[in-house]
């Protein structure tokens, strides 16, 4: 076992994956620390019900951000990594990505403007969360990850988070100020990402480029299935939040939103691992699929051990983590978290499966899985809400995550068996 871990460490060090992971983990850890620092402040000032409203708008913005990103955080990393030595292609990938995001953002603004006639109860919260969505347009993480230059991004991200915490402490004084929380977060992120984009443009000499129509159509076509999958994944995560906002009580919404953010913090760490692996994974796969498959198997084992331990802690001490994050004891939230505790372990097992299909450009299978998962999520959410018993609401995320793991494993195993049969 010792030789296994030592060997894995040496191989990670040689491929820059360890350095990428440390930088990305620091970025994502700062996000997790932000949650741990800011949520007690918010809940103490505005209360758990207003906290639920803030998270509802935050979740809506996250969903919009996924659509605006249009899969470029995944495809962009691959394209930047593969064209790092080609200045023209590097510049082209950079601007095609940003222009695509900007185009979808304009459509989003028009949609939000039209929503004012729907008399949505939390419309003000949604309006003031628009900067969070704008930040996704500007987020250059795909570029800094693809070029494997994450230290500057890391530092800028940490400064942004410290600024957010400071402004929240100064500005938010009571429940009436709850609507400003997302505005503070989004504005700080926008300014940070603008500065990073400016650095990238100057350092890599990325002169302004207006993409050609066929290039926009190409990324629109190639990333369509990937985007639908990402939106579906986000909906699977947030569908219960929207359902509770419509049919549940504010107390249920607040308690569930709190647990949802705790679980999402673990997902952020899992995404950090996947993003750290992705640039080299693309190169491994080009050298030979067998090389990538062997490495993926080894990494999945390590991730399973680490995140299973985290899941066990959440299961044993849900009350401790609820109090740590919210600053108060909440039995309802503790019940939710105990059931949801093993989601990180399941998600860790599945994260590299998504990378595997992306490397094989098998976006159609990703799309098919996402549609089936969305149907499962809708049915599960409906049944749990209809039960009118909050004790089992935590099952929603666990059921969806387990379903995702089973389907991805099935598709990957089937494709490998087909490839082996074809070679034979």
């Amino acid at each position: 076992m010792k030789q296994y871990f030592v060997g894995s460490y040496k191989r990670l060090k040689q491929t820059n994956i360890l350095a990428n992971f440390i930088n990305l983990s620091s970025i994502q850890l700062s996000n997790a620390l932000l949650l741990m620092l800011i949520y007690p402040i918010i809940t103490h000032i505005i209360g758990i019900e207003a906290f639920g409203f803030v998270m509802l708008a935050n979740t809506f913005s996250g969903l919009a951000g996924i659509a605006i990103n249009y899969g470029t955080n995944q495809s962009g990393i691959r394209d930047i990594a593969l064209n790092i030595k080609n200045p023209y292609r590097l510049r082209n990938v950079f601007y095609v990505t940003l222009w695509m995001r900007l185009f979808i953002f304009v459509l989003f603004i028009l949609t939000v403007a039209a929503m004012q006639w729907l008399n949505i109860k939390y419309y003000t919260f949604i309006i003031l969360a628009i900067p969070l969505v704008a930040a996704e347009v500007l987020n250059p993480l795909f570029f800094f990850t693809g070029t494997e230059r994450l230290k500057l991004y890391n530092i800028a991200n940490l400064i942004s988070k410290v600024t957010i915490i400071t402004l929240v402490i100064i500005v938010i004084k009571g429940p009436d100020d709850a609507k400003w929380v997302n505005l503070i977060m989004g504005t700080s992120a926008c300014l940070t990402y603008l500065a990073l984009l400016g650095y990238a443009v100057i350092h890599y000499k990325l002169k302004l480029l207006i993409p050609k129509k066929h290039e926009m159509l190409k990324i629109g076509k190639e990333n369509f299935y990937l985007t639908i999958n990402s939106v579906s994944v986000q909906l699977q995560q947030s569908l219960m939040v929207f359902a509770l906002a419509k049919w549940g009580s504010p107390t249920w919404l607040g308690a569930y939103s709190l647990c949802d953010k705790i679980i999402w913090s673990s997902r952020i760490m899992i995404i950090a691992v996947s993003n750290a692996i992705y640039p080299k994974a693309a190169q491994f796969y080009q050298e030979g699929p067998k090389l990538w498959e062997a490495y993926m198997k080894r990494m999945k084992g390590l991730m399973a051990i680490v995140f299973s331990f985290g899941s066990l802690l959440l299961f044993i001490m849900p009350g401790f983590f609820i109090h740590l994050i919210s600053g108060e004891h909440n039995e309802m939230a503790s019940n939710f978290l105990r059931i949801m505790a093993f989601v990180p372990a399941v998600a860790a097992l599945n994260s590299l499966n998504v990378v595997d299909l992306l490397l094989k450009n098998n976006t159609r299978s990703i799309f098919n899985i996402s549609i089936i998962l969305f149907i499962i999520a809708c049915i599960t959410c409906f049944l749990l809400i209809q039960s009118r018993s909050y004790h089992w609401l935590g099952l929603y995320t666990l059921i969806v995550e387990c379903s995702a793991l089973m389907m991805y494993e099935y598709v990957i195993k089937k494709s490998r068996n087909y490839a082996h049969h074809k070679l034979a």
Side-chain angles (χ1 to χ4, degrees), residues 231-255:
V231 170
S232 176
V233 169
Q234 182 70 9
L235 275 175
Q236 293 156 28
Q237 177 75 16
S238 58
L239 193 61
M240 183 61 75
V241 173
F242 295 138
L244 289 176
K246 178 68 175 178
W247 295 291
S249 69
T251 302
W252 289 19
L253 175 62

PDB file of all heavy atoms in Angstrom, residues 231-255:
ATOM      1  N   VAL A 231     -26.526  21.742 -17.842  1.00  0.00           N
ATOM      2  CA  VAL A 231     -27.774  22.333 -17.328  1.00  0.00           C
ATOM      3  C   VAL A 231     -28.584  21.277 -16.591  1.00  0.00           C
ATOM      4  O   VAL A 231     -29.146  21.532 -15.521  1.00  0.00           O
ATOM      5  CB  VAL A 231     -28.605  22.935 -18.483  1.00  0.00           C
ATOM      6  CG1 VAL A 231     -29.998  23.334 -17.991  1.00  0.00           C
ATOM      7  CG2 VAL A 231     -27.893  24.145 -19.073  1.00  0.00           C
ATOM      8  N   SER A 232     -28.623  20.086 -17.166  1.00  0.00           N
ATOM      9  CA  SER A 232     -29.351  18.992 -16.524  1.00  0.00           C
ATOM     10  C   SER A 232     -28.754  18.650 -15.165  1.00  0.00           C
ATOM     11  O   SER A 232     -29.476  18.459 -14.186  1.00  0.00           O
ATOM     12  CB  SER A 232     -29.333  17.747 -17.424  1.00  0.00           C
ATOM     13  OG  SER A 232     -29.946  16.653 -16.789  1.00  0.00           O
ATOM     14  N   VAL A 233     -27.409  18.599 -15.103  1.00  0.00           N
ATOM     15  CA  VAL A 233     -26.737  18.310 -13.833  1.00  0.00           C
ATOM     16  C   VAL A 233     -27.064  19.381 -12.801  1.00  0.00           C
ATOM     17  O   VAL A 233     -27.349  19.088 -11.638  1.00  0.00           O
ATOM     18  CB  VAL A 233     -25.213  18.213 -14.033  1.00  0.00           C
ATOM     19  CG1 VAL A 233     -24.481  18.184 -12.696  1.00  0.00           C
ATOM     20  CG2 VAL A 233     -24.869  16.970 -14.843  1.00  0.00           C
ATOM     21  N   GLN A 234     -27.037  20.658 -13.233  1.00  0.00           N
ATOM     22  CA  GLN A 234     -27.353  21.750 -12.317  1.00  0.00           C
ATOM     23  C   GLN A 234     -28.809  21.682 -11.856  1.00  0.00           C
ATOM     24  O   GLN A 234     -29.119  21.923 -10.682  1.00  0.00           O
ATOM     25  CB  GLN A 234     -27.084  23.091 -12.997  1.00  0.00           C
ATOM     26  CG  GLN A 234     -27.331  24.317 -12.123  1.00  0.00           C
ATOM     27  CD  GLN A 234     -26.316  24.470 -11.010  1.00  0.00           C
ATOM     28  OE1 GLN A 234     -25.313  23.755 -10.983  1.00  0.00           O
ATOM     29  NE2 GLN A 234     -26.556  25.389 -10.100  1.00  0.00           N
ATOM     30  N   LEU A 235     -29.695  21.348 -12.782  1.00  0.00           N
ATOM     31  CA  LEU A 235     -31.112  21.209 -12.422  1.00  0.00           C
ATOM     32  C   LEU A 235     -31.320  20.047 -11.457  1.00  0.00           C
ATOM     33  O   LEU A 235     -32.123  20.140 -10.526  1.00  0.00           O
ATOM     34  CB  LEU A 235     -31.956  21.002 -13.682  1.00  0.00           C
ATOM     35  CG  LEU A 235     -32.404  22.259 -14.419  1.00  0.00           C
ATOM     36  CD1 LEU A 235     -33.115  21.889 -15.715  1.00  0.00           C
ATOM     37  CD2 LEU A 235     -33.317  23.113 -13.549  1.00  0.00           C
ATOM     38  N   GLN A 236     -30.595  18.963 -11.705  1.00  0.00           N
ATOM     39  CA  GLN A 236     -30.697  17.824 -10.791  1.00  0.00           C
ATOM     40  C   GLN A 236     -30.299  18.239  -9.382  1.00  0.00           C
ATOM     41  O   GLN A 236     -30.897  17.799  -8.400  1.00  0.00           O
ATOM     42  CB  GLN A 236     -29.794  16.689 -11.274  1.00  0.00           C
ATOM     43  CG  GLN A 236     -30.217  16.060 -12.581  1.00  0.00           C
ATOM     44  CD  GLN A 236     -29.062  15.396 -13.299  1.00  0.00           C
ATOM     45  OE1 GLN A 236     -28.097  14.952 -12.676  1.00  0.00           O
ATOM     46  NE2 GLN A 236     -29.128  15.333 -14.617  1.00  0.00           N
ATOM     47  N   GLN A 237     -29.289  19.112  -9.289  1.00  0.00           N
ATOM     48  CA  GLN A 237     -28.816  19.579  -7.999  1.00  0.00           C
ATOM     49  C   GLN A 237     -29.787  20.563  -7.363  1.00  0.00           C
ATOM     50  O   GLN A 237     -29.987  20.569  -6.154  1.00  0.00           O
ATOM     51  CB  GLN A 237     -27.446  20.244  -8.174  1.00  0.00           C
ATOM     52  CG  GLN A 237     -26.858  20.854  -6.912  1.00  0.00           C
ATOM     53  CD  GLN A 237     -26.315  19.811  -5.950  1.00  0.00           C
ATOM     54  OE1 GLN A 237     -26.111  18.669  -6.354  1.00  0.00           O
ATOM     55  NE2 GLN A 237     -26.089  20.198  -4.707  1.00  0.00           N
ATOM     56  N   SER A 238     -30.413  21.410  -8.187  1.00  0.00           N
ATOM     57  CA  SER A 238     -31.182  22.535  -7.656  1.00  0.00           C
ATOM     58  C   SER A 238     -32.694  22.386  -7.765  1.00  0.00           C
ATOM     59  O   SER A 238     -33.433  23.240  -7.260  1.00  0.00           O
ATOM     60  CB  SER A 238     -30.763  23.819  -8.387  1.00  0.00           C
ATOM     61  OG  SER A 238     -30.961  23.690  -9.786  1.00  0.00           O
ATOM     62  N   LEU A 239     -33.151  21.324  -8.405  1.00  0.00           N
ATOM     63  CA  LEU A 239     -34.597  21.164  -8.616  1.00  0.00           C
ATOM     64  C   LEU A 239     -35.365  21.177  -7.300  1.00  0.00           C
ATOM     65  O   LEU A 239     -36.438  21.786  -7.196  1.00  0.00           O
ATOM     66  CB  LEU A 239     -34.868  19.864  -9.377  1.00  0.00           C
ATOM     67  CG  LEU A 239     -36.276  19.689  -9.955  1.00  0.00           C
ATOM     68  CD1 LEU A 239     -36.592  20.786 -10.953  1.00  0.00           C
ATOM     69  CD2 LEU A 239     -36.405  18.315 -10.619  1.00  0.00           C
ATOM     70  N   MET A 240     -34.816  20.529  -6.283  1.00  0.00           N
ATOM     71  CA  MET A 240     -35.492  20.494  -4.986  1.00  0.00           C
ATOM     72  C   MET A 240     -35.566  21.886  -4.359  1.00  0.00           C
ATOM     73  O   MET A 240     -36.553  22.223  -3.697  1.00  0.00           O
ATOM     74  CB  MET A 240     -34.768  19.522  -4.048  1.00  0.00           C
ATOM     75  CG  MET A 240     -35.430  19.365  -2.688  1.00  0.00           C
ATOM     76  SD  MET A 240     -37.137  18.716  -2.749  1.00  0.00           S
ATOM     77  CE  MET A 240     -36.805  16.978  -3.111  1.00  0.00           C
ATOM     78  N   VAL A 241     -34.537  22.698  -4.564  1.00  0.00           N
ATOM     79  CA  VAL A 241     -34.556  24.068  -4.043  1.00  0.00           C
ATOM     80  C   VAL A 241     -35.705  24.851  -4.662  1.00  0.00           C
ATOM     81  O   VAL A 241     -36.456  25.544  -3.962  1.00  0.00           O
ATOM     82  CB  VAL A 241     -33.209  24.775  -4.322  1.00  0.00           C
ATOM     83  CG1 VAL A 241     -33.269  26.252  -3.932  1.00  0.00           C
ATOM     84  CG2 VAL A 241     -32.082  24.087  -3.569  1.00  0.00           C
ATOM     85  N   PHE A 242     -35.863  24.745  -5.992  1.00  0.00           N
ATOM     86  CA  PHE A 242     -36.954  25.438  -6.671  1.00  0.00           C
ATOM     87  C   PHE A 242     -38.314  24.900  -6.218  1.00  0.00           C
ATOM     88  O   PHE A 242     -39.275  25.655  -6.048  1.00  0.00           O
ATOM     89  CB  PHE A 242     -36.812  25.303  -8.184  1.00  0.00           C
ATOM     90  CG  PHE A 242     -35.586  25.978  -8.748  1.00  0.00           C
ATOM     91  CD1 PHE A 242     -34.828  25.369  -9.730  1.00  0.00           C
ATOM     92  CD2 PHE A 242     -35.177  27.219  -8.284  1.00  0.00           C
ATOM     93  CE1 PHE A 242     -33.698  25.979 -10.245  1.00  0.00           C
ATOM     94  CE2 PHE A 242     -34.042  27.846  -8.795  1.00  0.00           C
ATOM     95  CZ  PHE A 242     -33.309  27.221  -9.778  1.00  0.00           C
ATOM     96  N   ALA A 243     -38.392  23.578  -6.036  1.00  0.00           N
ATOM     97  CA  ALA A 243     -39.653  22.964  -5.609  1.00  0.00           C
ATOM     98  C   ALA A 243     -40.049  23.431  -4.206  1.00  0.00           C
ATOM     99  O   ALA A 243     -41.225  23.729  -3.944  1.00  0.00           O
ATOM    100  CB  ALA A 243     -39.532  21.442  -5.647  1.00  0.00           C
ATOM    101  N   LEU A 244     -39.068  23.502  -3.307  1.00  0.00           N
ATOM    102  CA  LEU A 244     -39.353  23.959  -1.949  1.00  0.00           C
ATOM    103  C   LEU A 244     -39.725  25.435  -1.919  1.00  0.00           C
ATOM    104  O   LEU A 244     -40.526  25.866  -1.084  1.00  0.00           O
ATOM    105  CB  LEU A 244     -38.142  23.706  -1.043  1.00  0.00           C
ATOM    106  CG  LEU A 244     -37.859  22.240  -0.703  1.00  0.00           C
ATOM    107  CD1 LEU A 244     -36.579  22.110   0.105  1.00  0.00           C
ATOM    108  CD2 LEU A 244     -39.031  21.633   0.071  1.00  0.00           C
ATOM    109  N   ALA A 245     -39.148  26.220  -2.826  1.00  0.00           N
ATOM    110  CA  ALA A 245     -39.519  27.638  -2.910  1.00  0.00           C
ATOM    111  C   ALA A 245     -40.966  27.802  -3.337  1.00  0.00           C
ATOM    112  O   ALA A 245     -41.651  28.742  -2.922  1.00  0.00           O
ATOM    113  CB  ALA A 245     -38.596  28.347  -3.895  1.00  0.00           C
ATOM    114  N   LYS A 246     -41.455  26.859  -4.143  1.00  0.00           N
ATOM    115  CA  LYS A 246     -42.834  26.933  -4.652  1.00  0.00           C
ATOM    116  C   LYS A 246     -43.827  26.261  -3.708  1.00  0.00           C
ATOM    117  O   LYS A 246     -44.895  26.811  -3.427  1.00  0.00           O
ATOM    118  CB  LYS A 246     -42.879  26.263  -6.039  1.00  0.00           C
ATOM    119  CG  LYS A 246     -44.265  26.234  -6.674  1.00  0.00           C
ATOM    120  CD  LYS A 246     -44.744  27.626  -7.045  1.00  0.00           C
ATOM    121  CE  LYS A 246     -46.092  27.564  -7.786  1.00  0.00           C
ATOM    122  NZ  LYS A 246     -46.592  28.918  -8.100  1.00  0.00           N
ATOM    123  N   TRP A 247     -43.495  25.062  -3.212  1.00  0.00           N
ATOM    124  CA  TRP A 247     -44.470  24.276  -2.454  1.00  0.00           C
ATOM    125  C   TRP A 247     -44.091  24.017  -0.992  1.00  0.00           C
ATOM    126  O   TRP A 247     -44.913  23.536  -0.228  1.00  0.00           O
ATOM    127  CB  TRP A 247     -44.706  22.928  -3.155  1.00  0.00           C
ATOM    128  CG  TRP A 247     -45.339  23.085  -4.499  1.00  0.00           C
ATOM    129  CD1 TRP A 247     -46.599  23.505  -4.767  1.00  0.00           C
ATOM    130  CD2 TRP A 247     -44.730  22.814  -5.765  1.00  0.00           C
ATOM    131  NE1 TRP A 247     -46.821  23.527  -6.125  1.00  0.00           N
ATOM    132  CE2 TRP A 247     -45.682  23.101  -6.770  1.00  0.00           C
ATOM    133  CE3 TRP A 247     -43.467  22.358  -6.157  1.00  0.00           C
ATOM    134  CZ2 TRP A 247     -45.424  22.951  -8.113  1.00  0.00           C
ATOM    135  CZ3 TRP A 247     -43.202  22.220  -7.506  1.00  0.00           C
ATOM    136  CH2 TRP A 247     -44.167  22.503  -8.472  1.00  0.00           C
ATOM    137  N   GLY A 248     -42.857  24.289  -0.621  1.00  0.00           N
ATOM    138  CA  GLY A 248     -42.436  24.048   0.758  1.00  0.00           C
ATOM    139  C   GLY A 248     -42.507  25.309   1.600  1.00  0.00           C
ATOM    140  O   GLY A 248     -42.882  26.378   1.126  1.00  0.00           O
ATOM    141  N   SER A 249     -42.112  25.190   2.841  1.00  0.00           N
ATOM    142  CA  SER A 249     -42.095  26.341   3.745  1.00  0.00           C
ATOM    143  C   SER A 249     -40.726  27.019   3.681  1.00  0.00           C
ATOM    144  O   SER A 249     -39.727  26.381   3.309  1.00  0.00           O
ATOM    145  CB  SER A 249     -42.364  25.885   5.181  1.00  0.00           C
ATOM    146  OG  SER A 249     -41.277  25.121   5.679  1.00  0.00           O
ATOM    147  N   PRO A 250     -40.638  28.311   4.047  1.00  0.00           N
ATOM    148  CA  PRO A 250     -39.335  28.988   4.072  1.00  0.00           C
ATOM    149  C   PRO A 250     -38.321  28.293   4.979  1.00  0.00           C
ATOM    150  O   PRO A 250     -37.122  28.310   4.698  1.00  0.00           O
ATOM    151  CB  PRO A 250     -39.683  30.383   4.608  1.00  0.00           C
ATOM    152  CG  PRO A 250     -41.109  30.598   4.197  1.00  0.00           C
ATOM    153  CD  PRO A 250     -41.745  29.236   4.329  1.00  0.00           C
ATOM    154  N   THR A 251     -38.810  27.663   6.057  1.00  0.00           N
ATOM    155  CA  THR A 251     -37.914  26.943   6.965  1.00  0.00           C
ATOM    156  C   THR A 251     -37.309  25.735   6.273  1.00  0.00           C
ATOM    157  O   THR A 251     -36.104  25.466   6.402  1.00  0.00           O
ATOM    158  CB  THR A 251     -38.669  26.493   8.222  1.00  0.00           C
ATOM    159  OG1 THR A 251     -39.238  27.636   8.861  1.00  0.00           O
ATOM    160  CG2 THR A 251     -37.733  25.810   9.198  1.00  0.00           C
ATOM    161  N   TRP A 252     -38.130  24.986   5.536  1.00  0.00           N
ATOM    162  CA  TRP A 252     -37.633  23.846   4.772  1.00  0.00           C
ATOM    163  C   TRP A 252     -36.605  24.314   3.743  1.00  0.00           C
ATOM    164  O   TRP A 252     -35.557  23.695   3.568  1.00  0.00           O
ATOM    165  CB  TRP A 252     -38.775  23.137   4.062  1.00  0.00           C
ATOM    166  CG  TRP A 252     -39.701  22.369   4.944  1.00  0.00           C
ATOM    167  CD1 TRP A 252     -39.866  22.503   6.286  1.00  0.00           C
ATOM    168  CD2 TRP A 252     -40.603  21.345   4.529  1.00  0.00           C
ATOM    169  NE1 TRP A 252     -40.827  21.636   6.747  1.00  0.00           N
ATOM    170  CE2 TRP A 252     -41.297  20.911   5.684  1.00  0.00           C
ATOM    171  CE3 TRP A 252     -40.911  20.762   3.316  1.00  0.00           C
ATOM    172  CZ2 TRP A 252     -42.273  19.910   5.652  1.00  0.00           C
ATOM    173  CZ3 TRP A 252     -41.886  19.763   3.257  1.00  0.00           C
ATOM    174  CH2 TRP A 252     -42.552  19.338   4.425  1.00  0.00           C
ATOM    175  N   LEU A 253     -36.938  25.401   3.034  1.00  0.00           N
ATOM    176  CA  LEU A 253     -36.054  25.936   1.998  1.00  0.00           C
ATOM    177  C   LEU A 253     -34.709  26.328   2.579  1.00  0.00           C
ATOM    178  O   LEU A 253     -33.654  25.997   2.026  1.00  0.00           O
ATOM    179  CB  LEU A 253     -36.709  27.146   1.325  1.00  0.00           C
ATOM    180  CG  LEU A 253     -35.849  27.893   0.287  1.00  0.00           C
ATOM    181  CD1 LEU A 253     -35.487  26.980  -0.870  1.00  0.00           C
ATOM    182  CD2 LEU A 253     -36.589  29.127  -0.210  1.00  0.00           C
ATOM    183  N   GLY A 254     -34.722  27.025   3.722  1.00  0.00           N
ATOM    184  CA  GLY A 254     -33.473  27.449   4.345  1.00  0.00           C
ATOM    185  C   GLY A 254     -32.615  26.282   4.788  1.00  0.00           C
ATOM    186  O   GLY A 254     -31.404  26.244   4.533  1.00  0.00           O
ATOM    187  N   ALA A 255     -33.252  25.290   5.448  1.00  0.00           N
ATOM    188  CA  ALA A 255     -32.507  24.128   5.948  1.00  0.00           C
ATOM    189  C   ALA A 255     -31.935  23.300   4.798  1.00  0.00           C
ATOM    190  O   ALA A 255     -30.765  22.880   4.840  1.00  0.00           O
ATOM    191  CB  ALA A 255     -33.423  23.263   6.819  1.00  0.00           C
TER     192      ALA A 255
END
